[in-house]
């Protein structure tokens, strides 16, 4: 055995204790840690012949990189849509690393950890009040979830022409409709060979909306004269968390032949709220759904799920079958995730989710979602009542999209940089209806009123000086 490895093995208890101490120190101080750092480090391009050993590597990491780690999982990191990590999910993530499983099969003499994944999928379906006629799996994030779902949609469309696009390539025109697709959807179209520009943008509803105008959608459908197509709907747009009318789309499914995919990366969690669950009414009739777990579910990166109707399992196998591994058996008779999603090698991403669901249950996630919505509404009221800021859109769920009042567009960008440079809060820039704006997204389970009061005071101080 390598000498450094042998020493590490003999000191494993002590090494893990040091990592635990550092982890607890970070988590206990997360509210005080900076949300933004401008520190640059010199990047090394040479690897030493002899390693440092784990303890010295940890010391070197702390000297060189620890300072640039921001509190992205903390209560005032409102940029993008970034959740935190619940205590239970941290336990699950640590054990995922310790057990180091690669979940493929549910029966056999090797790793059968896919049973944990299957149970977690069923728990998630129950959390979201979705029927068990969906099957699902874990992937790295919303991008790969959208990719996976749309890959099956692509195969479905090919079958409408008696073509196998997965084996023979795309040989027919693929018609895709969307109103406000997320960038990860557009990226997925590029990766699938469909083309990032190859979709028709449907009008949005009047009245400061980002949702599909259903009349314009049906006009476009009728112009296809029965040609099959793919509809990409939004279960919460990124700027204003607007939802397409799922009940109206479900009604269209009874009249026209199309694949209905919903990108509900974080908006899906409206289903956990008694007040807002109506936003997802009808989504059970979709063919596929994307949901991110490392957002509002508050588990560590990287974690997302796809849901695809079980009746399309054969299309998934057509698309993702690991055909050069005969020892895996008949893919339709022997369940194996290798044949159902893009990755062959992957970690047991389901375990942090399983732990968090088991630890907090439906009530726990109802409370997390309700708190986030309350924080967004509170912050939105501050913006709306201010003489210095203005909402760009109503606060529909958990995101506040706003700008500076009566100032040039670049003033908003300058203000945001000053705000983020304080290291007390982090928000992201956006453009909405042609105006530069700022977006604050509330998904972290730790965020409380005291965080909002701190940020409001800071914003008033910055705008006045």
């Amino acid at each position: 055995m390598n000498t450094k490895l042998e020493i590490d093995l003999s000191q494993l208890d002590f090494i893990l204790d040091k990592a635990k101490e550092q982890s607890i120190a970070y988590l206990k101080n997360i509210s005080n840690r900076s949300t933004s750092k401008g520190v640059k480090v010199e990047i090394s391009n040479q690897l030493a012949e002899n390693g440092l050993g784990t303890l010295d590597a940890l010391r070197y990491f702390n000297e060189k990189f620890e300072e640039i780690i921001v509190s992205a999982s903390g209560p005032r990191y409102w940029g993008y849509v970034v959740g935190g990590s619940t205590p239970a999910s941290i336990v699950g993530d640590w054990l995922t690393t310790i057990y180091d499983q690669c979940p493929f099969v549910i029966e056999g003499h090797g790793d059968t950890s896919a049973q944990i994944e299957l149970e977690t999928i069923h728990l998630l379906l129950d959390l979201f009040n979705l029927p068990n006629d969906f099957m699902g799996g874990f992937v790295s994030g919303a991008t790969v979830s959208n990719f996976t779902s749309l890959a099956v949609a692509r195969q479905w469309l090919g079958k409408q022409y008696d073509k196998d696009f997965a084996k023979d390539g795309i040989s027919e025109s693929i018609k895709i409709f969307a109103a406000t697709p997320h960038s990860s959807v557009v990226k997925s179209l590029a990766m699938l060979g469909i083309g990032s520009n190859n979709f028709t943008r449907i009008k949005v509803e009047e009245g400061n909306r980002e949702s599909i105008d259903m009349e314009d959608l049906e006009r476009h459908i009728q112009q296809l004269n029965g040609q099959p197509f793919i509809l990409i709907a939004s279960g919460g747009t990124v700027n204003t968390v607007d939802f397409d009318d799922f009940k109206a789309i479900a009604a269209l499914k009874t009249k026209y032949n199309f694949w209905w995919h919903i990108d509900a990366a974080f908006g899906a969690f409206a289903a956990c709220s008694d007040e807002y669950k109506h936003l997802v009414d009808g989504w059970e009739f979709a063919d596929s759904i994307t949901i991110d777990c490392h957002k509002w579910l508050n588990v560590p990166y990287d974690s997302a799920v796809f849901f695809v109707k079980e009746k399309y399992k054969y299309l998934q196998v057509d698309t993702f079958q690991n055909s050069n591994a005969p020892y895996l058996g008949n893919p339709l008779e022997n369940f194996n995730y290798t044949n159902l999603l893009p990755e062959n090698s992957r970690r047991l991403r389901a375990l942090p989710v399983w732990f968090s669901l088991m630890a907090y249950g439906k009530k726990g996630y109802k409370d997390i979602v309700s708190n986030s919505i309350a924080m967004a509404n509170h912050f939105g009221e501050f913006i709306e009542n201010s003489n210095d800021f203005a909402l760009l859109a109503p606060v529909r769920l958990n995101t506040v999209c706003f700008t500076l009042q009566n100032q040039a567009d670049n003033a908003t960008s300058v203000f945001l940089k000053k705000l983020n440079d304080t290291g007390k809060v982090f928000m992201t820039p956006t453009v909405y209806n042609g105006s530069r704006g700022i977006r604050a997204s509330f998904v972290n389970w730790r965020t409380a009123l005291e965080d909002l009061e701190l940020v409001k005071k800071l914003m008033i101080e910055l705008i006045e000086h």
Side-chain angles (χ1 to χ4, degrees), residues 38-56:
V39 180
K40 290 186 177 180
V41 298
E42 183 179 346
I43 302 300
S44 174
N45 60 5
Q46 288 187 324
L47 179 65
E49 184 66 29
N50 293 309
L52 299 174
T54 300
L55 290 174
D56 283 339

Side-chain angles (χ1 to χ4, degrees), residues 78 238-241 372-373 375-384 390-403 427-428 430 437-442 452:
W78 303 345
V238 70
N239 271 332
T240 70
V241 203
S372 296
I373 294 171
M375 295 300 102
N377 284 327
H378 186 89
F379 189 63
E381 288 171 6
F382 162 71
I383 298 296
E384 195 169 21
L391 290 174
L392 287 173
V395 179
R396 297 193 173 100
L397 196 65
N398 67 315
T399 295
V400 182
C401 188
F402 67 101
T403 190
M427 304 183 202
T428 40
T430 191
I438 299 171
R439 193 166 56 85
S441 184
F442 295 85
L452 269 69

Side-chain angles (χ1 to χ4, degrees), residues 94-343:
W94 279 358
L95 291 177
T96 298
T97 298
I98 295 300
Y99 292 132
D100 198 21
Q101 306 291 291
C102 187
F104 288 149
V105 298
I106 56 176
E107 295 179 0
H109 296 293
D111 171 27
T112 57
S113 61
Q115 293 178 77
I116 298 172
E117 185 160 349
L118 286 176
E119 177 167 299
T120 308
I121 290 297
H122 284 290
L123 295 176
L124 286 171
L125 289 172
D126 191 34
L127 177 70
F128 295 124
N129 196 29
L130 285 167
N132 281 321
D133 61 354
F134 282 99
M135 68 162 295
F138 278 82
V139 290
S140 59
T143 301
V144 180
S145 179
N146 280 321
F147 175 86
T148 304
S149 299
L150 292 173
V152 185
R154 180 189 64 179
Q155 187 70 357
W156 170 86
L157 195 140
K159 293 294 185 182
Q160 307 310 299
Y161 296 102
D162 294 322
K163 301 289 183 67
D164 188 335
F165 287 172
K167 289 185 174 64
D168 302 323
I170 299 172
S171 56
E172 298 286 343
S173 174
I174 298 179
K175 299 295 183 183
I176 299 175
F177 295 146
T180 317
H182 187 262
S183 60
S184 65
V185 168
V186 178
K187 184 175 185 177
S188 295
L189 296 180
M191 293 191 295
L192 287 164
I194 295 171
S196 57
N197 291 328
N198 190 24
F199 71 94
T200 300
R201 195 177 291 275
I202 305 299
K203 290 180 183 178
V204 297
E205 291 184 271
E206 298 291 335
N208 199 5
R209 299 293 302 274
E210 291 186 292
S211 52
I212 289 174
D213 182 310
M214 296 305 299
E215 290 185 1
D216 189 51
L217 173 61
E218 189 154 17
R219 278 193 296 269
H220 279 83
I221 293 173
Q222 290 170 348
Q223 290 170 8
L224 293 179
N225 295 317
Q227 186 177 351
F229 65 96
I230 298 168
L231 175 65
I232 301 172
S234 293
T237 56
V238 70
N239 271 332
T240 70
V241 203
D242 209 352
F243 285 72
D244 292 328
D245 187 338
F246 295 160
K247 288 193 288 187
I249 295 173
L252 290 179
K253 284 278 281 182
T254 66
K255 298 168 59 178
Y256 304 104
N257 184 31
F258 64 95
W259 181 281
W260 177 17
H261 173 64
I262 300 175
D263 180 1
F266 64 95
F269 289 85
C272 301
S273 165
D274 291 338
E275 186 177 356
Y276 290 91
K277 63 184 179 182
H278 67 276
L279 293 171
V280 295
D281 283 352
W283 71 332
E284 64 271 20
F285 298 106
D287 297 299
S288 58
I289 302 173
T290 282
I291 300 177
D292 241 332
C293 298
H294 54 235
K295 289 184 169 66
W296 222 340
L297 197 71
N298 280 259
V299 301
Y301 278 98
D302 54 9
S303 181
V305 295
F306 64 84
F307 293 134
V308 175
K309 283 290 173 67
E310 178 106 30
K311 64 182 179 180
Y312 295 123
K313 182 179 176 181
Y314 75 101
L315 296 175
Q316 278 188 263
V317 172
D318 283 349
T319 304
F320 297 115
Q321 182 179 357
N322 200 42
S323 57
N324 65 340
Y327 59 85
L328 295 175
N330 186 318
L332 288 173
E333 295 177 0
N334 301 287
F335 185 93
N336 192 311
Y337 269 118
T338 302
N339 298 315
L340 298 170
L341 42 71
E343 299 158 299

Side-chain angles (χ1 to χ4, degrees), residues 6-44:
E6 192 170 11
I7 294 171
D8 278 356
L9 183 59
S10 68
Q11 298 181 324
L12 188 58
D13 287 2
F14 183 70
I15 289 170
L16 293 180
D17 280 342
K18 296 298 289 184
K20 173 187 170 183
E21 289 171 11
Q22 183 161 327
S23 300
I24 291 173
Y26 168 81
L27 293 172
K28 283 187 173 180
N29 195 48
I30 198 168
S31 293
N32 300 318
R33 194 178 185 93
S34 178
T35 56
S36 182
K37 294 282 183 76
V39 180
K40 290 186 177 180
V41 298
E42 183 179 346
I43 302 300
S44 174

